[in-house]
Amino acid sequence: TQSNSPITFTASLNITVEKLKQSPVKRNEETGVKRKRDAEDGRIPPLRFRKFHLSVSLLSEQTWCEKKVVYGFLKPQIRRKEKQRIELQTGTSIHLARELEVHDVVPINIQTHEDAVAISLVNMLHMIPSLDSGQCVREFPVFGIVEGVYLKGIIDELSYNQKGELVLKDLKTRKHDSLPGAAQALGHRFQVGLYKLLFDALVRGEVKKEHILEHLKLRASLALGTEVITHAANVGINVVTFGELLDAFLLTLSCSDLPCVDVLQLEYCHQGSSSFIGTVLVQFDESQLRAELRGFLEYWRGLREPKGVDIEEAWKCTSCPYEEICDWRKNRSQVPESLHTRKRVNM
Ligand code: SF4
């Protein structure tokens, strides 16, 4: 997506990175034509749309309908309209309000992709000691290699419960004042499961410097932008290059006593009234989660064509912005009308 609005990479520090999506590098990532040169001579083969990493939220959307995710790349103008509609319906304001409860927002101008990643690292460096000392942190970035693919995401909240367990919480805002149905809940569970995989791998020291540099095609020797250097210095990190910051981040992580996530929790709030709907605890089954992920990654690795929804879930198509153009739906003309009109569900 492309937007003039600021993007927030927040944690205990809360930094807003302005104009990130206007940078050529980011724009190319979104359109799937990024880093053509690297894709041709790099050691790590690109995924579909020439992507070198995937976001957790994108993979979660894939649990709803893979074909819909693909249309989002092929028809970005329709995806933009859909995103705006969802943002109106759901709770960006609730998320922001929660974020502002624990930190301020600082705008930082960036020049390169290394700067953008650096902002996330500085945020994490600022949050790790807070979390280490038992405090709650919000908007904690996570990343790493899972099943051979670089994934990244942002955890809504990490805190400790009364038993001293580390709780990973994801806030979901809903148009309807009720818990989600099974189809939506599936994606939510998948999302928090992936966050746990990524967070646990980070605190176990499984993420290496070369993973980040090679998968994201970042230059360790590149000097960071002036504002990024200043900001890092303000939180006690004196670095000049991206590689130096990465070293400082990995060293801090290895010296911390952060535990793995014990509890996965989904919290649902009603968008209209901001009232609490309910909390759902998620069971973590790593082998099942990885099996599901491998199935989704088969598409991204180009091993198979994208799939639309199963016939039993044809009702999803009635609320899909690609309904009119979807070849999967057209080829399913034998589906009984009762399945098409069963229910409207908002993602
Ligand atoms: Fe998926 Fe149905 Fe939308 Fe096609 S119309 S993209 S099958 S939800």
Side-chain angles (χ1 to χ4, degrees):
T1 56
Q2 294 170 37
S3 160
N4 289 333
S5 56
I7 305 161
T8 307
F9 289 79
T10 55
S12 52
L13 187 59
N14 277 344
I15 301 163
T16 298
V17 181
E18 291 182 324
K19 299 182 179 176
L20 170 61
K21 289 192 176 180
Q22 295 172 334
S23 76
V25 173
K26 183 66 181 175
R27 192 159 54 243
N28 287 344
E29 283 178 14
E30 292 296 329
T31 55
V33 293
K34 70 168 187 171
R35 300 190 179 102
K36 206 167 185 174
R37 174 178 51 79
D38 291 339
E40 285 161 1
D41 55 20
R43 281 180 295 155
I44 297 168
L47 304 165
R48 294 252 195 196
F49 298 100
R50 292 195 174 274
K51 291 179 80 64
F52 284 91
H53 67 264
L54 298 173
S55 72
V56 171
S57 54
L58 184 70
L59 287 163
S60 305
E61 286 174 27
Q62 206 173 343
T63 65
W64 181 262
C65 175
E66 189 170 88
K67 195 83 183 170
K68 188 179 176 190
V69 168
V70 174
Y71 275 125
F73 284 96
L74 299 176
K75 304 286 179 187
Q77 69 283 14
I78 299 179
R79 182 172 63 158
R80 266 197 297 279
K81 274 191 196 160
E82 171 74 352
K83 193 165 177 242
Q84 284 163 1
R85 185 185 69 78
I86 290 171
E87 279 174 357
L88 280 176
Q89 284 184 354
T90 56
T92 47
S93 58
I94 294 179
H95 274 92
L96 183 60
R98 288 213 175 180
E99 193 181 322
L100 293 175
E101 283 173 9
V102 293
H103 43 61
D104 298 324
V105 173
V106 180
I108 302 281
N109 283 314
I110 61 165
Q111 307 295 324
T112 63
H113 192 52
E114 282 80 359
D115 279 352
V117 177
I119 294 293
S120 290
L121 295 178
V122 173
N123 277 339
M124 292 169 85
L125 279 165
H126 196 66
M127 280 189 281
I128 288 168
S130 302
L131 194 57
D132 233 355
S133 64
Q135 295 176 47
C136 167
V137 298
R138 293 193 174 136
E139 304 294 314
F140 190 92
V142 281
F143 50 80
I145 316 291
V146 186
E147 299 298 326
V149 174
Y150 192 97
L151 306 184
K152 64 175 190 175
I154 297 180
I155 296 172
D156 274 350
E157 182 179 307
L158 288 162
S159 60
Y160 296 90
N161 62 16
Q162 289 183 332
K163 293 185 199 165
E165 297 168 323
L166 182 58
V167 180
L168 185 159
K169 191 189 289 183
D170 200 63
L171 171 67
K172 298 291 179 198
T173 47
R174 291 183 48 73
K175 184 182 174 193
H176 302 288
D177 194 3
S178 58
L179 290 173
Q184 278 181 296
L186 185 75
H188 299 166
R189 290 198 302 270
F190 186 68
Q191 184 176 5
V192 292
L194 287 183
Y195 286 150
K196 173 174 164 56
L197 275 186
L198 291 169
F199 182 87
D200 290 357
L202 275 168
V203 301
R204 286 189 191 122
E206 292 168 12
V207 178
K208 308 294 181 197
K209 185 176 181 179
E210 58 271 21
H211 290 163
I212 300 166
L213 295 175
E214 288 174 14
H215 278 263
L216 296 184
K217 310 289 179 197
L218 298 174
R219 297 154 289 182
S221 59
L222 191 77
L224 295 167
T226 315
E227 287 197 25
V228 179
I229 290 173
T230 304
H231 176 62
N234 286 343
V235 298
I237 306 154
N238 292 306
V239 291
V240 174
T241 65
F242 178 73
E244 289 168 3
L245 178 62
L246 199 46
D247 287 337
F249 166 74
L250 293 171
L251 183 64
T252 303
L253 202 57
S254 67
C255 294
S256 77
D257 288 322
L258 290 180
C260 292
V261 169
D262 297 301
V263 179
L264 295 175
Q265 194 172 301
L266 289 161
E267 184 179 315
Y268 292 96
C269 286
H270 182 225
Q271 166 61 13
S273 62
S274 299
S275 61
F276 175 73
I277 298 173
T279 293
V280 174
L281 292 177
V282 176
Q283 295 301 315
F284 181 69
D285 183 335
E286 181 169 345
S287 57
Q288 187 186 337
L289 185 77
R290 284 183 178 274
E292 286 174 28
L293 177 61
R294 283 195 295 272
F296 291 135
L297 293 180
E298 281 177 7
Y299 164 71
W300 292 105
R301 289 188 164 116
L303 300 176
R304 61 169 174 79
E305 292 306 304
K307 289 187 273 192
V309 296
D310 289 337
I311 235 171
E312 300 78 27
E313 295 196 313
W315 51 270
K316 287 180 178 176
C317 303
T318 60
S319 60
C320 178
Y322 311 104
E323 184 184 12
E324 297 300 319
I325 57 170
C326 178
D327 53 2
W328 183 277
R329 184 179 179 278
K330 281 180 193 151
N331 294 337
R332 213 189 38 213
S333 53
Q334 71 277 18
V335 176
E337 186 62 21
S338 59
L339 284 176
H340 281 289
T341 56
R342 192 176 127 202
K343 193 177 176 186
R344 281 187 82 91
V345 175
N346 299 303
M347 281 199 73

